[in-house]
């Protein structure tokens, strides 16, 4: 899967952008979720990347919200709520966030997902060798800007003292930090993620979100429910991300060939 390599002005991902995909995502339910359909056909357009480090536009956000999870997610009101994190506390006059991860987290292949995976994913985003399109979402963290400029990884204020604890030190108080951790650029990727353009493939996809990819052709990307997802498998069994339709979006919705369009 080719990835985007051109950087863009994506500095305001941190606040509110994740709500664009609430219609598709699964959250931690307060009650039993009931699906109205087994398959949802969404006209999303070209699949440009399967890597959260290379988000370039709102369509990428909508897609990657289906495939990966982070410490928090956004609800329909733009408020952050716990996802992989069970809770967090703020100390040091607002400059230190301590996240407690949920027990029994797994990637879609069944391997364990721990606080060390969050730390590794964030450090990968900040690694200048990765050439991420959106590393500045983490600039509020101590040492992040310096790491992007080639400084030491060890000086970045992200520690995982045990499997369920992530401690993040900020340059200054930032009450919006839980919203930053809800942006897909910060979501957790598997240990196989590196700086190569083809580390993630549709056929053997490993993710942390509500869906995993099954197949891709020139018409659609088929995603199926991930039983390992933190909230359990989503109520819609399959999402067909339509790359193109024979007509325009309005006509596709009207004639029943698409269930949801942008």
């Amino acid at each position: 899967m080719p990835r985007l390599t051109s950087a863009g002005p994506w500095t305001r991902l941190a606040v509110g952008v994740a709500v664009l995909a609430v219609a598709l995502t699964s959250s931690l339910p307060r009650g039993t979720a009931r699906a109205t359909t087994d398959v949802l056909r969404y006209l999303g357009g070209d699949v440009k990347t399967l890597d959260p480090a290379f988000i370039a536009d709102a369509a990428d956000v909508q897609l990657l919200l289906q495939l990966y999870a982070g410490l928090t997610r956004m609800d329909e009101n733009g408020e952050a709520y716990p996802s992989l994190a069970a809770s967090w506390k703020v100390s040091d006059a607002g400059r230190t966030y301590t996240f407690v991860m949920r027990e029994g987290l797994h990637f879609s292949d069944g391997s364990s997902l721990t606080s060390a995976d969050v730390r590794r994913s964030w450090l990968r985003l900040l690694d200048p060798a990765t050439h991420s399109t959106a590393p500045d979402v983490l600039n509020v963290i101590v040492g992040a800007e310096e790491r992007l400029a080639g400084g030491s990884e060890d000086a970045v204020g992200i520690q995982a003292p045990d499997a369920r604890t992530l401690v993040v030190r900020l340059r200054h108080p930032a009450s919006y930090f839980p919203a930053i951790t809800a942006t897909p650029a910060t979501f957790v990727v598997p240990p196989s993620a590196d700086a190569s353009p083809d580390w993630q493939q549709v056929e053997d996809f490993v993710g942390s979100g509500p869906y995993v990819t099954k197949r891709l052709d020139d018409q659609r990307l088929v995603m199926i429910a991930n039983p390992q997802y933190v909230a359990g498998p989503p109520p819609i069994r399959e999402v067909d991300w339509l790359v193109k339709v024979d007509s325009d979006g309005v006509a596709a919705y009207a004639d029943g060939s698409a269930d949801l369009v942008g």
Side-chain angles (χ1 to χ4, degrees):
M1 169 65 61
R3 72 184 184 193
L4 298 177
T5 55
S6 58
W10 205 246
T11 60
R12 287 182 286 181
L13 268 172
V15 182
V17 68
V19 301
L20 291 169
V22 165
L24 293 180
T25 54
S26 173
S27 63
L28 294 171
R30 291 186 173 87
T32 302
R34 300 183 66 88
T36 57
T37 181
D38 283 337
V39 180
L40 178 72
R41 296 162 300 171
Y42 175 66
L43 182 57
D46 292 336
V47 177
K48 302 183 292 297
T49 184
L50 295 178
D51 190 336
F54 294 94
I55 292 170
D57 56 34
D60 293 343
V61 170
Q62 291 175 322
L63 176 60
L64 294 171
L65 276 167
Q66 315 316 311
L67 302 176
Y68 300 94
L71 294 177
T72 59
R73 279 197 182 244
M74 291 288 205
D75 64 19
E76 61 271 19
N77 298 312
E79 299 292 329
Y81 64 88
S83 182
L84 297 179
S87 63
W88 59 86
K89 64 180 181 180
V90 186
S91 58
D92 188 25
R95 292 189 295 269
T96 298
Y97 277 74
T98 302
F99 293 89
V100 178
M101 308 281 288
R102 297 183 188 274
E103 293 188 60
L105 295 174
H106 295 90
F107 287 101
S108 59
D109 65 352
S111 60
S112 294
L113 191 163
T114 71
S115 58
D117 292 300
V118 183
R119 181 177 185 270
R120 174 184 46 75
S121 297
W122 290 10
L123 291 176
R124 175 179 179 264
L125 191 70
L126 295 170
D127 188 341
T130 303
H131 301 291
S132 168
T133 55
D136 50 351
V137 298
L138 295 177
N139 276 359
V140 71
I141 297 175
V142 167
E145 289 184 352
E146 292 79 0
R147 175 57 180 150
L148 280 168
S152 171
E153 182 178 278
D154 295 336
V156 180
I158 309 169
Q159 284 82 40
D162 60 56
R164 292 187 57 206
T165 305
L166 188 80
V167 181
V168 186
R169 294 183 294 115
L170 307 183
R171 296 176 183 273
H172 55 75
S175 61
Y176 53 84
F177 191 67
I180 290 178
T181 63
T183 60
T186 70
F187 282 7
V188 183
V189 294
S192 57
D194 56 29
S196 66
D198 56 357
W199 69 270
Q200 186 75 282
Q201 296 292 315
V202 170
E203 295 79 9
D204 54 3
F205 180 90
V206 177
S208 53
Y211 291 92
V212 295
T213 61
K214 185 176 181 181
R215 64 179 182 275
L216 171 67
D217 56 35
D218 61 350
Q219 295 289 328
R220 70 190 63 210
L221 170 68
V222 176
M223 297 179 281
I224 58 174
N226 173 19
Q228 302 287 355
Y229 182 48
V230 58
I236 298 175
R237 175 180 55 82
E238 177 180 314
V239 173
D240 290 356
W241 179 278
L242 304 180
V243 174
K244 61 182 179 181
V245 292
D246 294 334
S247 55
D248 59 50
V250 174
Y253 180 79
D255 66 21
S257 58
D259 303 307
L260 189 64
V261 300

